[in-house]
Amino acid sequence: MPERSESDSRKLLRRLRDMLAVPGKGQDRLDQITHLIADSMGTEVCSIYLFRDPETLELCATEGLRKESVHQTRMKLGEGLVGRVARTGQPVNTADAPSEKGFRFMPETGEEIYSSFLGVPIQRVGEKLGVLVVQSKVAREFSEDEIYALDVVAMVLAEMTELGAFTGDDGGIRALHKQPVMLRGTSGQEGAAEGRVWLHEPRVVITNPVADDPLTEIDRIRAAVGELRVSIDDLLEAQTLDKDQKQVLEAYRMFAQSRGWLRRMEEDIMRGLSAEAAVEKEQSAARARLEQVPDAYLRERLSDLDDLSNRLLRILTGQGKDTGAEMPENPVLVARNIGPAELLEYGRKLKAVVMDEGSVGSHAAVVARALAIPLVINTERITAEALNGDPILVDGDQGIVHLRPEETVARAFRDKIAMQAEAQKRYASLRGLPATATCGTTVALHMNAGLMADLPSLEGSGAEGVGLFRTELQFLVRSKMPQRAELARLYARVMDAAKGRRVAFRTLDIGSDKVLPYMKPQDEPNPAMGWRAVRVGLDKPGVLRMQLQALIRAANGRPLTIMFPLITELSEFQQARAHALRELHREKSLGHPVPEKLEIGAMLETPSLAFAPRAFFELTDFVSVGGNDLKQFFFAADRENELVRRRYDTLNLSFLTFLEGIVARCAQTGTPLSFCGEDAGRPIEALALAAIGFRTLSMRPASVGPVKALLRRVNLNDARAVIDRAKAEGAESARPFLMEWLSSHSE
Ligand code: PEP
Ligand code: MG
């Protein structure tokens, strides 16, 4: 890199910094900056375009274009050359702007006389802020050094924008992290909450983007990279890592050792940036590249680089994860993504969780559901927008988040929360009462659980017992396979907390979406229909047997209920049951107390089991319909796939007719039957299930109240007649019929 431009850009940065050090109004500063850049770079024009909203750029200051067009000229993201720079995050450099593809002529600016154009993005990691442009009359392409210099200046502008250097009452410039933002994501768990942002990984704030002494900065960055390398080596050595974790860390190490990375950062420093700003500049560039890369593998590698940059920034700034900030009251956790164990550590003190990434079936989502915390996922940019302590409203029903909401929005939202709280109060008054319909039929309502943390809800919700205890959560939140004694202690605590009420422990349901961090994931073309649940338990019985032993020991003579997931045919149930009985005998022969009563049941989650021989229904102590899986297999619609997961209605009469068949088969053999999928917790669905003959439903604790309230005010025979009428009329779904009946039937 030539010495001349090196010192030029440093000089420019220093002038910029000195200018910014003097207190001034936002608009004045922007005007001065455009003047200073045009002057230093010897161009007739310098303009700054900033985002007005995520889709619109606005000319906020200019040297050389008509002043009247400031705050008047606007363009959409992707429109014209400026819009192209903003969209792609890449510079545009042309000697003949008007003939460039996508050029948009803006007569109000008077720019038609300028032939050459150089635009670079003003961006901060993960956040597009605007575009910095220089133009001149002479038709020439800008040199590599000039592009570089402008890029470095843009980087500093981004930092200053972030620090609020250009906001004020005067210019109408977007105040970062101050305006209300509404973000749309996907609902991961229903419920509404109001609180304050608590960032899982706080943003690193850079207060010194420009540095005087490049040699000191180079020493700093080398020392920090050295520290980073050592920390990765330590990680690689110290931990018992599996192959995949090792691979990720090896990739980290490769980047940390990459000369190109350090060299580019050193070059940035020689241009006048501080070590921190240099890291961030490279990180922004990597992010911009990330957005353009279609290849998933490469994208993952680039995101490794992103993580590494974050670590490096934390070393340089001394801003660890723990910034000393106090967690606000009513914290709403905001994260790019989070592991299940970390989420569990926060526990129930969180009001809600919002994640930029994640999927409905991710482990974190499973934990959020178990904790009954509203969860919104896939918001894409909340971590770039939110600051610790920002007011936030989370609507888990709609998958919407309001950050720094307007008072009117907040008020409407509070009404919604108040209404829900009011309803909860009403439900609480029903707590001690049975879910007896007006026809005299009583439906037993149980709750689903999966964590110790769920158990307090047993008292509060009014549930009679735990109809489904998902044991895999205990396995998912650990970094290694739990030991038998540890599990036995935990199951014993669950039974203690249930105070004699029945808890149906479901044996490990892993595979499909639930992959244990310490087990080798299988590369299966269709995991939901693959090697999962009881299939894994029967093929590799070690863990299953250990779990059965732990359950028997935990019972310590008390009654015990076990159920096996995804039983598909009679012989599978026979084998699974035989394992349980074998362990029972083994425990007895070892002199351990055996449960005074042992129930062994099967989850009906595949249509095939509904047609199993009578011997199955005679052998099993009970059948529990796992509606989530059963529905996905009945309709051939992946429960994790947003495109199809809501496509088919549970009240579709084909499905209800199929469920009626299950009720009839269980009735023939007197086999107790329950339903424990999510649908059991939706009042209208629960009503339909009760109407067709289900007498036990198991659901989220928060659903017990609403379901009970509805069941207590209806006649199930009448509801059954409504469903039969829908069938007789050849309808597709019973829903409109039940809805109409309910509305004409309300008190
Ligand atoms: C189900 O499939 O309905 C069920 C209750 O189990 P899970 O949701 O854990 O698969
Ligand atoms: Mg299931």
Side-chain angles (χ1 to χ4, degrees):
M1 117 196 61
E3 184 52 35
R4 193 194 68 83
S5 77
E6 235 180 69
S7 54
D8 275 359
S9 68
R10 272 225 301 281
K11 228 184 289 161
L12 170 57
L13 284 187
R14 203 164 308 133
R15 283 177 71 188
L16 193 61
R17 188 194 50 189
D18 292 347
M19 192 208 85
L20 289 168
V22 182
K25 289 188 170 173
Q27 185 64 49
D28 294 348
R29 280 181 157 171
L30 283 173
D31 292 342
Q32 286 165 358
I33 291 170
T34 51
H35 174 78
L36 190 144
I37 296 173
D39 181 49
S40 303
M41 293 194 58
T43 57
E44 284 102 352
V45 176
C46 172
S47 314
I48 294 174
Y49 298 82
L50 294 174
F51 276 100
R52 177 102 226 152
D53 58 59
E55 291 298 314
T56 321
L57 285 150
E58 178 176 305
L59 176 65
C60 284
T62 185
E63 172 76 19
L65 298 185
R66 285 197 196 116
K67 293 282 181 207
E68 310 85 80
S69 54
V70 171
H71 297 305
Q72 301 305 319
T73 294
R74 289 187 187 165
M75 64 215 51
K76 289 274 166 228
L77 183 66
E79 190 185 353
L81 299 186
V82 172
R84 197 211 297 175
V85 175
R87 186 172 49 78
T88 60
Q90 306 289 337
V92 169
N93 177 15
T94 171
D96 185 8
S99 60
E100 192 69 23
K101 192 164 157 261
F103 176 79
R104 206 198 83 179
F105 176 50
M106 291 175 296
E108 72 277 16
T109 63
E111 69 172 345
E112 62 279 13
I113 52 173
Y114 302 106
S115 180
S116 14
F117 173 104
L118 169 61
V120 297
I122 304 175
Q123 60 192 355
R124 199 178 177 270
V125 192
E127 194 175 15
K128 293 178 167 164
L129 301 167
V131 177
L132 175 62
V133 175
V134 289
Q135 290 170 279
S136 65
K137 283 185 193 152
V138 235
R140 67 171 184 103
E141 277 208 7
F142 289 88
S143 70
E144 280 296 309
D145 288 325
E146 283 170 312
I147 301 175
Y148 204 107
L150 201 64
D151 220 13
V152 168
V153 172
M155 161 82 210
V156 174
L157 283 184
E159 289 307 322
M160 304 318 281
T161 315
E162 175 76 20
L163 291 174
F166 309 123
T167 49
D169 309 330
D170 51 339
I173 296 155
R174 185 167 79 109
L176 274 177
H177 310 301
K178 291 213 165 52
Q179 298 203 330
V181 184
M182 187 186 101
L183 297 150
R184 243 171 232 288
T186 309
S187 164
Q189 156 81 13
E190 290 141 20
E194 175 174 17
R196 301 242 165 209
V197 168
W198 180 250
L199 290 167
H200 179 53
E201 296 210 301
R203 301 160 71 84
V204 174
V205 184
I206 298 178
T207 47
N208 60 334
V210 183
D212 279 331
D213 180 3
L215 296 181
T216 312
E217 295 302 301
I218 285 187
D219 283 349
R220 288 183 64 226
I221 194 128
R222 286 187 183 164
V225 169
E227 197 177 314
L228 180 71
R229 286 176 186 162
V230 171
S231 72
I232 295 171
D233 288 347
D234 285 353
L235 273 179
L236 264 166
E237 270 163 35
Q239 305 231 348
T240 39
L241 301 166
D242 67 22
K243 211 170 104 227
D244 292 328
Q245 290 164 318
K246 248 203 174 100
Q247 258 177 8
V248 171
L249 282 173
E250 293 287 1
Y252 271 28
R253 175 148 75 180
M254 202 181 78
F255 277 122
Q257 309 243 340
S258 133
R259 285 175 178 233
W261 187 44
L262 184 58
R263 198 198 56 237
R264 282 195 304 276
M265 292 192 290
E266 289 186 358
E267 282 175 7
D268 295 333
I269 290 173
M270 289 313 289
R271 306 280 174 154
L273 290 187
S274 66
E276 291 87 339
V279 177
E280 220 181 69
K281 181 167 173 294
E282 284 309 309
Q283 194 181 10
S284 293
R287 277 272 178 105
R289 283 201 295 276
L290 195 79
E291 283 177 15
Q292 312 286 318
V293 174
D295 178 83
Y297 176 78
L298 216 63
R299 258 206 320 268
E300 219 164 273
R301 296 286 74 82
L302 280 169
S303 92
D304 286 345
L305 183 58
D306 200 56
D307 277 350
L308 213 58
S309 306
N310 276 334
R311 283 169 184 243
L312 194 55
L313 276 178
R314 290 185 200 289
I315 295 176
L316 277 168
T317 56
Q319 295 171 24
K321 269 197 181 182
D322 182 9
T323 55
E326 285 245 342
M327 187 184 271
E329 262 183 48
N330 301 325
V332 171
L333 189 76
V334 169
R336 236 170 89 196
N337 213 336
I338 185 168
E342 287 174 301
L343 183 53
L344 201 56
E345 240 169 69
Y346 285 107
R348 281 177 190 267
K349 59 177 170 262
L350 298 178
K351 282 279 159 204
V353 181
V354 185
M355 293 197 293
D356 275 338
E357 299 170 2
S359 68
V360 181
S362 68
H363 303 163
V366 172
V367 172
R369 246 168 268 152
L371 293 171
I373 303 173
L375 167 72
V376 175
I377 55 173
N378 293 332
T379 47
E380 285 180 9
R381 61 190 179 91
I382 188 151
T383 47
E385 289 280 0
L387 292 183
N388 265 342
D390 276 348
I392 184 168
L393 310 172
V394 181
D395 184 340
D397 305 333
Q398 310 283 332
I400 291 175
V401 176
H402 299 275
L403 189 63
R404 302 179 287 266
E406 308 262 13
E407 197 39 42
T408 45
V409 176
R411 236 178 283 136
F413 199 82
R414 272 175 216 135
D415 286 348
K416 179 174 168 160
I417 295 180
M419 260 164 60
Q420 287 183 351
E422 193 53 45
Q424 284 301 336
K425 248 196 254 157
R426 248 187 304 126
Y427 303 143
S429 66
L430 301 178
R431 198 179 298 152
L433 302 174
T436 305
T438 56
C439 53
T441 304
T442 299
V443 180
L445 304 185
H446 291 246
M447 64 171 244
N448 297 342
L451 295 166
M452 217 27 233
D454 287 320
L455 272 299
S457 312
L458 193 48
E459 297 289 334
S461 66
E464 287 180 30
V466 178
L468 164 67
F469 190 90
R470 293 179 162 105
T471 59
E472 58 278 2
L473 291 185
Q474 307 302 332
F475 287 76
L476 284 170
V477 298
R478 281 175 168 70
S479 56
K480 58 181 200 317
M481 181 74 80
Q483 307 275 311
R484 182 180 57 195
E486 197 185 341
L487 284 182
R489 270 197 304 278
L490 187 118
Y491 298 151
R493 279 174 55 215
V494 172
M495 291 181 215
D496 293 347
K499 298 198 181 115
R501 277 170 286 208
R502 181 176 179 268
V503 181
F505 287 95
R506 174 176 74 186
T507 61
L508 200 53
D509 183 1
I510 49 154
S512 181
D513 57 310
K514 301 167 196 148
V515 180
L516 299 183
Y518 39 86
M519 270 172 88
K520 189 167 168 285
Q522 299 293 319
D523 193 11
E524 295 184 272
N526 198 337
M529 295 202 268
W531 198 54
R532 52 170 291 209
V534 81
R535 300 171 183 179
V536 181
L538 294 180
D539 292 353
K540 293 232 181 289
V543 180
L544 177 65
R545 288 176 44 199
M546 183 270 278
Q547 196 183 18
L548 291 168
Q549 289 160 13
L551 283 166
I552 296 167
R553 290 196 187 177
N556 196 23
R558 290 177 283 189
L560 176 65
T561 306
I562 296 171
M563 62 186 183
F564 293 105
L566 207 79
I567 295 288
T568 304
E569 54 181 16
L570 167 64
S571 63
E572 263 176 0
F573 183 64
Q574 287 167 330
Q575 289 168 52
R577 188 170 175 275
H579 275 297
L581 295 178
R582 201 172 309 129
E583 293 317 317
L584 189 78
H585 289 129
R586 184 176 167 274
E587 290 298 300
K588 200 173 176 178
S589 64
L590 288 173
H592 293 142
V594 290
E596 69 184 47
K597 177 177 168 214
L598 176 64
E599 281 184 288
I600 306 176
M603 284 188 74
L604 194 157
E605 305 190 89
T606 61
S608 68
L609 197 64
F611 303 98
R614 186 182 168 98
F616 162 71
F617 292 93
E618 284 169 349
L619 184 64
T620 187
D621 289 327
F622 61 91
V623 166
S624 182
V625 172
N628 305 334
D629 273 312
L630 185 62
K631 206 169 127 186
Q632 84 166 337
F633 296 127
F634 186 81
F635 290 110
D638 187 344
R639 62 191 266 193
E640 301 300 335
N641 183 338
E642 283 305 317
L643 295 172
V644 298
R645 76 187 187 98
R646 289 180 223 260
R647 194 178 177 96
Y648 303 102
D649 191 351
T650 308
L651 300 189
N652 177 305
L653 284 158
S654 317
F655 191 53
L656 286 185
T657 306
F658 174 61
L659 292 176
E660 278 173 339
I662 298 171
V663 173
R665 293 220 59 193
C666 287
Q668 279 165 16
T669 45
T671 312
L673 172 68
S674 62
F675 188 105
C676 67
E678 296 304 314
D679 285 318
R682 302 193 173 105
I684 310 275
E685 280 80 342
L687 164 63
L689 291 169
I692 64 169
F694 281 86
R695 292 293 167 261
T696 304
L697 303 174
S698 191
M699 62 201 70
R700 292 195 293 137
S703 299
V704 174
V707 167
K708 192 188 283 184
L710 179 60
L711 290 180
R712 284 176 60 85
R713 71 176 180 89
V714 293
N715 180 317
L716 292 178
N717 299 327
D718 292 351
R720 173 68 182 241
V722 172
I723 295 174
D724 287 344
R725 182 161 56 83
K727 253 194 231 174
E729 289 186 19
E732 187 160 81
S733 168
R735 187 175 302 275
F737 291 79
L738 283 170
M739 298 289 280
E740 198 206 299
W741 174 68
L742 278 175
S743 62
S744 63
H745 176 269
S746 57
E747 314 97 313

